Amino acid sequence: MEKFYAFIKDNRVINVAVFAAQDENLAEAIRLEQGYDNAIWVNENAPAKWSSYDGKTFTDPTQDYLISIGVVTPTVEVVDETTTK
């Protein structure tokens, strides 16, 4: 099974990295080098990228949030007038 660290910046998961085993020294070195606020060992329970983190719980990002940061592009449905009559 893969095991993971979640790297946090401004209470959001910015990166999720696969590790062979828990390695606090390596995670801390990556955190410092990349400017993350925190590195959380999540074992096999990797959160989704852009999830929020409140210090205890990861919450999946909303579509509105993903649109607001440009990760998701909103689509506009084109309605054919002949099918709506």
Side-chain angles (χ1 to χ4, degrees), residues 36-82:
Y36 300 126
D37 297 332
N38 209 345
I40 308 294
W41 173 250
V42 293
N43 206 355
E44 297 169 355
N45 301 314
K49 187 171 183 179
W50 306 118
S51 293
S52 62
Y53 181 65
D54 65 6
K56 292 183 180 180
T57 305
F58 293 98
T59 303
D60 287 344
T62 63
Q63 186 162 351
D64 287 341
Y65 176 76
L66 295 175
I67 290 169
S68 77
I69 63 171
V71 173
V72 172
T73 304
T75 58
V76 177
E77 187 176 309
V78 177
V79 178
D80 180 357
E81 289 184 25
T82 61

Side-chain angles (χ1 to χ4, degrees), residues 7-61:
F7 291 93
I8 312 297
K9 179 82 173 176
D10 298 326
N11 298 320
R12 288 281 175 183
V13 175
I14 304 301
N15 197 358
V16 178
V18 176
F19 277 64
Q22 188 171 0
D23 187 333
E24 295 294 330
N25 292 328
L26 179 56
E28 180 65 4
I30 293 168
R31 183 192 73 77
L32 292 171
E33 180 180 289
Q34 298 298 314
Y36 300 126
D37 297 332
N38 209 345
I40 308 294
W41 173 250
V42 293
N43 206 355
E44 297 169 355
N45 301 314
K49 187 171 183 179
W50 306 118
S51 293
S52 62
Y53 181 65
D54 65 6
K56 292 183 180 180
T57 305
F58 293 98
T59 303
D60 287 344

